Amino acid sequence: MPALGGIHHVKFAVSDIQRSIDWYGRVFGFTTTMEFKDDEGIVRGSVGKLTGLDNTLLAFRENAELSESLSGFDPVSFAVQGKAEVQAWVDHLNAEGVENSGLRIAAIGYIVFFHDPDGIKLHVYSFDTPSPDEVEA
């Protein structure tokens, strides 16, 4: 079997493309690298980069109906190394006024979860796993 080289892009259906671009820019450092316009010249799609994910792009496609059906779904977990990095995300989300779970211990790591403007559930999850003492506490 041929080897994969990573993830090229992750695409979200959104109800308001500009609102999503602004929110992901504020929360994740999203910068647009390409836009897709409809026949009237209105931007309906956007692709760009997130800080720290140089080789994986994030894409948005305006589709309110599909976006509504995905509310509450968690299609992606963003990775950080350990507990301190998850806590840094909690602090960043709090500073940006993004409601979040706070630092939690999950099945195989530390996690914080929150929602984007369309209700998509996002995770920042650690590669490091908690010690058995932390899990039992």
Side-chain angles (χ1 to χ4, degrees):
M1 165 181 345
L4 294 172
I7 304 240
H8 186 273
H9 69 275
V10 174
K11 185 187 296 183
F12 293 141
V14 299
S15 61
D16 180 323
I17 194 139
Q18 191 58 56
R19 178 181 69 177
S20 292
I21 289 169
D22 293 345
W23 189 87
Y24 279 83
R26 184 170 57 87
V27 174
F28 287 104
F30 177 82
T31 56
T32 300
T33 58
M34 186 181 299
E35 294 180 334
F36 302 94
K37 297 179 180 180
D38 65 12
D39 293 339
E40 289 80 41
I42 299 171
V43 174
R44 300 290 184 198
S46 179
V47 176
K49 295 184 174 191
L50 298 179
T51 303
L53 296 181
D54 297 332
N55 294 321
T56 303
L57 300 171
L58 182 63
F60 303 113
R61 181 72 177 152
E62 198 166 78
N63 183 328
E65 185 177 307
L66 183 56
S67 173
E68 185 177 335
S69 71
L70 294 173
S71 181
F73 186 64
D74 56 343
V76 65
S77 292
F78 297 103
V80 296
Q81 191 56 51
K83 183 178 184 178
E85 290 83 2
V86 175
Q87 183 60 54
W89 272 96
V90 170
D91 296 343
H92 170 66
L93 294 167
N94 288 339
E96 291 296 333
V98 177
E99 187 175 332
N100 65 82
S101 65
L103 176 71
R104 296 214 179 154
I105 295 175
I108 56 170
Y110 303 97
I111 190 170
V112 59
F113 53 86
F114 50 101
H115 295 85
D116 81 354
D118 287 299
I120 299 272
K121 189 175 183 182
L122 302 169
H123 301 159
V124 174
Y125 216 123
S126 73
F127 287 119
D128 290 347
T129 57
S131 70
D133 294 341
E134 288 179 286
V135 173
E136 293 173 9

